[in-house]
Amino acid sequence: MKKLLGMCAGLILLIPFSLQAKGHATNSPTGPFVECLVPSGEIEFMPAMFCEIKKGKYHF
């Protein structure tokens, strides 16, 4: 019974770390991901650096 409780407690403690790693990819080496309004009029989700390269504007 103690082993089962220990395993359950371990899983509960690991859940926040796995959710954080799997969550939204908000940062990357090329900057945070933003919604970018590109000159063609489309809104794309991309790193901020690529948005600037494509001459786009951040869309909030």
Side-chain angles (χ1 to χ4, degrees):
M1 186 69 175
K2 287 182 181 181
K3 287 184 181 183
L4 179 63
L5 287 174
M7 287 177 23
C8 289
L11 287 174
I12 289 173
L13 291 174
L14 289 177
I15 288 174
F17 295 110
S18 64
L19 290 176
Q20 183 180 11
K22 193 188 295 184
H24 305 289
T26 55
N27 290 325
S28 72
T30 55
F33 278 73
V34 296
E35 288 184 356
C36 181
L37 178 64
V38 292
S40 66
E42 295 179 19
I43 297 174
E44 299 180 16
F45 191 66
M46 64 177 69
M49 186 173 116
F50 291 141
C51 184
E52 293 173 6
I53 290 171
K54 290 186 172 188
K55 309 257 189 270
K57 295 182 180 177
Y58 302 145
H59 181 263
F60 297 102

